[in-house]
Amino acid sequence: MSRSTAPRGATAAPGVPRSASSPPRIGLALAGGGPLGAIYEIGALCALQESLDGVDFNDVEAYVGVSAGGFIAAGLANGMTPRQLCSAFIENDSPDEDLIRPSLFIRPAWGEYLRRIALLPGLVAQAGLRVLFKRRALLSAFEVLGRALPTGVFSHAPLEAQVRRVLSAPGRSNDFRQLGRKLVLVATDLDSGEAAPFGQPGWDHVPISQAAAASAALPGLFPPVAIDGRWYVDGALKKTLHATVLLDMGLDLLFCLNPLVPFDASHSQQHRVLGDPVIPRLVSGGLPVVLSQTFRSLIHSRLELGMKGYERSHPHTDIVLFEPDHRDPEMFLANTFGYAQRRALAEHAYQHTRADLRSRRSALSVALARHGIRLNEATLDDPHRTLVSRKPRLRTRAARTLQRLDEVLNDLDAALAQRGA
């Protein structure tokens, strides 16, 4: 963890001293992860907001969001508090405010299907000509026919329309230029492979809802999004967090949330996951589980490299990362499209983040104090606090005691390691 100093209110180069009377410049970087990622980030943000005195996640210097994290960032930048996001998205108390309803992620891309079907007769004729007259191999013909395959299974149009409607409510804006805080949503240019930082100068004319849809257009699931004559896909293809967008502003403190981590089945907690048995070996889960672990491992390895690079390139900025426990099966095996399970997962993320704060209490207290932020001990240690309006799972006193002991030992171990370093 490193420290930064820079005056708030204007872009400053890293390392420029910040006046003691100036408030710290704080940023928030949110990675992607589909509906599950959004659930985790909402639960974690609610825990952080109530446990950290001196920071308001609706009033930070700047936000950067990738994929599902872009929707959360857009809501926060528009004044939606973490609790409001939870009320709408997790508990469904206000359907009109539901920023990222999971059902919107699975609407078939009928338009894309029809466009590709219309190409099929011409492609069949072209493939036949290659085989019969040009003596090309059958593989060449199949390559031609592959152009008839849809570029995505689900449509991004309902999702974009919902975000546009929510951000068009009074007091909010679907225009980057009208926000009171900096917001950047990152997508990837399909033809060049370069990052597209919507919200930055030259990119801020694009509606927030359209940029959010482009940032979440995971290839294979969603067709690329057309903007200004170019095609864009998920921003996670380039980087996991894109934190450099904010670090280059000369921030003092950057909070990072990453919902997707590879699962360590060899050291996982031995209990049932929301009523289902834990998979003892990932190969037992079949192709979906294997692909999920592969994808998570790839993006997390990039995150680890990125975090090390951030520490070297921006040594004057404190960077604090929150993510799920690698041994936690609930965040790995979860199905996120039912409201009941969404409540349980959000509560799980909320309680895990509180436990994470307690486990890193010593190191975090020192680092955050440099920026006028302190841990709210009474809130953090309250065993009865919950996120959603549901009864928490009953736990024995012995289990609660063992958990607290584990948190204290983890905190002590981290503090000793930091002192030794």
Side-chain angles (χ1 to χ4, degrees):
M1 203 178 291
S2 51
R3 187 180 176 187
S4 171
T5 53
R8 186 172 187 176
T11 300
V16 176
R18 172 171 63 91
S19 169
S21 61
S22 301
R25 307 182 75 212
I26 301 173
L28 178 64
L30 302 176
L36 176 62
I39 291 170
Y40 169 82
E41 289 178 341
I42 290 173
L45 283 168
C46 286
L48 294 174
Q49 185 67 85
E50 69 181 25
S51 300
L52 301 179
D53 292 339
V55 61
D56 180 355
F57 287 108
N58 290 113
D59 191 30
V60 298
E61 189 75 20
Y63 308 84
V64 63
V66 181
S67 193
F71 297 106
I72 304 300
L76 292 170
N78 268 280
M80 298 180 72
T81 68
R83 280 284 180 174
Q84 285 177 325
L85 290 171
C86 178
S87 178
F89 179 51
I90 305 300
E91 299 189 272
N92 198 29
D93 290 340
S94 305
D96 292 340
E97 291 286 286
D98 204 339
L99 185 65
I100 42 177
R101 193 179 310 143
S103 61
L104 298 175
F105 282 86
I106 53 174
R107 303 284 178 86
W110 298 117
E112 175 69 5
Y113 299 162
L114 294 175
R115 282 191 293 272
R116 296 293 166 172
I117 290 174
L119 296 174
L120 193 56
L123 293 175
V124 170
Q126 186 178 345
L129 288 173
R130 285 196 175 201
V131 174
L132 296 175
F133 298 100
K134 295 186 178 181
R135 304 298 181 183
R136 299 282 182 88
L138 284 175
L139 182 58
S140 177
F142 281 121
E143 289 176 351
V144 173
L145 292 176
R147 300 174 193 170
L149 293 176
T151 56
V153 178
F154 305 116
S155 173
H156 53 72
L159 191 60
E160 190 276 333
Q162 172 69 2
V163 175
R164 179 175 7 104
R165 187 184 63 78
V166 171
L167 298 187
S168 298
R172 300 176 189 158
S173 177
N174 197 31
D175 189 329
F176 287 102
R177 297 163 295 188
Q178 295 180 6
L179 295 177
R181 295 298 179 195
K182 183 77 172 180
L183 171 65
V184 180
L185 305 180
V186 185
T188 303
D189 188 311
L190 181 63
D191 292 313
S192 70
E194 296 298 319
F198 295 107
Q200 292 282 56
W203 300 85
D204 53 2
H205 65 285
V206 176
I208 294 174
S209 58
Q210 195 173 18
S215 180
L218 184 64
L221 289 182
F222 297 94
V225 177
I227 300 176
D228 294 340
R230 299 192 68 84
W231 298 90
Y232 297 94
V233 294
D234 198 311
L237 269 66
K238 190 71 176 176
K239 292 181 181 179
T240 303
L241 268 177
H242 290 276
T244 305
V245 171
L246 302 188
L247 291 171
D248 286 345
M249 297 174 61
L251 297 177
D252 302 301
L253 173 64
L254 178 64
F255 289 98
C256 301
L257 271 66
N258 172 53
L260 297 184
V261 298
F263 177 51
D264 185 359
S266 60
H267 298 90
S268 64
Q269 304 163 12
Q270 298 300 313
H271 59 80
R272 289 176 174 265
V273 181
L274 301 178
D276 297 326
V278 173
I279 296 176
R281 294 290 181 270
L282 294 186
V283 70
S284 304
L287 181 61
V289 170
V290 171
L291 289 178
S292 176
Q293 178 75 337
T294 302
F295 176 71
R296 288 164 176 260
S297 298
L298 287 172
I299 65 172
H300 197 265
S301 65
R302 291 190 314 174
L303 174 66
E304 291 176 330
L305 290 174
M307 295 297 288
K308 293 177 181 178
Y310 299 149
E311 291 177 359
R312 291 193 299 268
S313 62
H314 299 80
H316 301 282
T317 302
D318 277 324
I319 303 174
V320 184
L321 173 67
F322 294 93
E323 57 184 16
D325 190 333
H326 291 245
R327 302 163 300 175
D328 185 357
E330 294 197 24
M331 293 301 295
F332 180 73
L333 299 175
N335 179 345
T336 62
F337 291 93
Y339 274 100
Q341 195 174 47
R342 285 161 65 186
R343 293 187 180 94
L345 288 172
E347 183 69 35
H348 183 73
Y350 171 82
Q351 297 296 352
H352 165 77
T353 303
R354 284 164 46 82
D356 190 19
L357 287 169
R358 292 191 293 265
S359 294
R360 295 194 281 167
R361 189 191 309 252
S362 298
L364 286 176
S365 294
V366 173
L368 296 177
R370 292 196 287 264
H371 311 289
I373 301 171
R374 69 176 185 86
L375 293 177
N376 187 320
E377 305 283 354
T379 297
L380 196 56
D381 293 329
D382 182 356
H384 304 293
R385 295 190 75 89
T386 61
L387 174 65
V388 296
S389 55
R390 57 185 290 274
K391 292 184 179 180
R393 266 183 305 196
L394 295 176
R395 305 181 63 195
T396 64
R397 178 175 297 180
R400 292 195 300 269
T401 302
L402 288 174
Q403 181 185 359
R404 278 302 169 86
L405 178 61
D406 185 56
E407 292 166 359
V408 171
L409 291 176
N410 286 340
D411 182 34
L412 179 61
D413 183 61
L416 291 175
Q418 187 178 41
R419 174 165 294 188

